[in-house]
Structures are given as C-alpha cells and as structure tokens.
Amino acid sequence: MGFPQVPDPRRSAEDDADQALFFAIGLDDASPERVAAVAAVLVNAWQADSGRFAAAAAVCRRRQGEGDDDVWGETANLLDRALRIVHDAGADNDDARVRLLGQLFPDPGPFQWDMARRRDPVWWLRRLAALRIRVVHLPAGAPAGFQRLVLRRGLLVVGQVDFQVCQGCRRGYLPEDQR
C-alpha cells in the first residue's frame, strides 16, 4: 500500500522558464543530435504541452539580454525546438500527445538472452572454469584500510585486487599498480 499520487499543481511560466534554463545550459556548442535529444527529453518531461512551451519561451524572450551570456536566448531556442517537435507530430489533442510520447520514449521490451551462444562448447568451457573460481574477501584491519579480493582456483591464486573504500562517501581507490 503506497501513498496516493497527488498531481503537481500547474507551474507558472516563470517557473517553467527557470526549469528550461537548466536543460539549456551547456548546449551552446553541442551537436545538433544532442540538442534534439535534450529537446525530446524536455517534451517528455512537460508531457508535450504546447501551451506550456509557448508561455515559457515568451518569458525567456522577455528575459533575453539579462546577464553577460545569451542563456535566455538559447533557452528560448530550445523551447522553440521542443514546440516544433510537438507541432510537427500534430500533438494538439490527447491521443496524438500520447502517441508522440510513446514514439519519443517507447517502453522497452523484456531482455532476451542469447540462446545460441549456449550451444557453443567454448562458452561451456569458460562457464565451467568460472564456476571453479572462488572469491575470498580479506577485510581491512582498520576503518578505511586496504582490503583485498583474492581469486583462487583450488589452492592456486589466479588473481588479486587490493582496494580501499571510504566508509563515509563510499568512494573507492585502487593503487597505481592495480590499475
């Protein structure tokens, strides 16, 4: 039993322009493919609402010239591109909007395992060899000390990795000779 989903209240055009600015930052020297991908993400995030795009673009044009960079002009261009995607798809009604969102980000299908590789004897030999490898973890003697993973095949050590992990931030460190 989960919490009921409460729809977000309608955002103002000023808030939408601020949010679109974060999408547009860093797109000044981006490739056309990246700009198109960001515009598609924006269309998906705002559920292809053409009125929302138009109102936010008008706010961005009004803010254009504020500051040193022309970030509001770039944001308006991104919003115009997203609006063009919505209009080109004819997503003015709900059915077309749902169809557009389904085309932009289709639901992925279930993962299909490659069954043909299991018929290959080399795969089985590698699989059996991997099953015989044992991983032994030697913990650190002190907090944030060096730990060791040892890979053994029977009594023979076939590999080892020394590493250190910060307990607070969970970032790992491999010494130079381990990389």
Side-chain angles (χ1 to χ4, degrees):
M1 180 172 179
F3 292 104
Q5 296 294 324
V6 178
D8 290 339
R10 181 79 180 165
R11 297 177 61 102
S12 71
E14 300 282 332
D15 292 338
D16 286 339
D18 292 337
Q19 184 182 15
L21 174 66
F22 291 114
F23 280 94
I25 289 176
L27 291 181
D28 50 349
D29 57 349
S31 67
E33 293 84 13
R34 182 168 175 223
V35 174
V38 171
V41 168
L42 189 59
V43 167
N44 187 45
W46 289 4
Q47 296 295 303
D49 187 355
S50 59
R52 197 170 168 186
F53 288 116
V59 170
C60 290
R61 283 193 194 84
R62 192 173 61 240
R63 290 181 181 175
Q64 196 169 1
E66 294 178 6
D68 298 332
D69 296 332
D70 189 26
V71 293
W72 292 111
E74 294 170 10
T75 306
N77 291 339
L78 177 66
L79 289 168
D80 288 339
R81 184 168 184 137
L83 185 61
R84 203 170 330 117
I85 291 172
V86 173
H87 283 306
D88 289 348
D92 296 331
N93 59 21
D94 289 337
D95 293 335
R97 184 177 302 154
V98 169
R99 193 170 45 252
L100 170 66
L101 294 173
Q103 288 171 354
L104 287 177
F105 296 98
D107 290 332
F111 181 77
Q112 297 290 326
W113 288 98
D114 181 17
M115 300 305 279
R117 75 175 183 170
R118 293 188 181 177
R119 293 186 207 117
D120 186 9
V122 174
W123 183 83
W124 280 104
L125 292 174
R126 288 181 184 160
R127 172 87 171 133
L128 292 174
L131 289 177
R132 288 189 287 241
I133 301 259
R134 200 168 35 120
V135 177
V136 179
H137 176 245
L138 303 173
F146 277 95
Q147 303 177 44
R148 177 176 283 170
L149 285 178
V150 180
L151 303 174
R152 294 182 180 265
R153 187 171 180 182
L155 295 176
L156 180 66
V157 175
V158 294
Q160 70 182 18
V161 175
D162 294 324
F163 62 96
Q164 186 178 22
V165 177
C166 174
Q167 298 297 325
C169 64
R170 307 295 295 168
R171 291 191 180 196
Y173 166 72
L174 290 174
E176 284 293 323
D177 58 347
Q178 297 287 322
R179 293 181 197 166

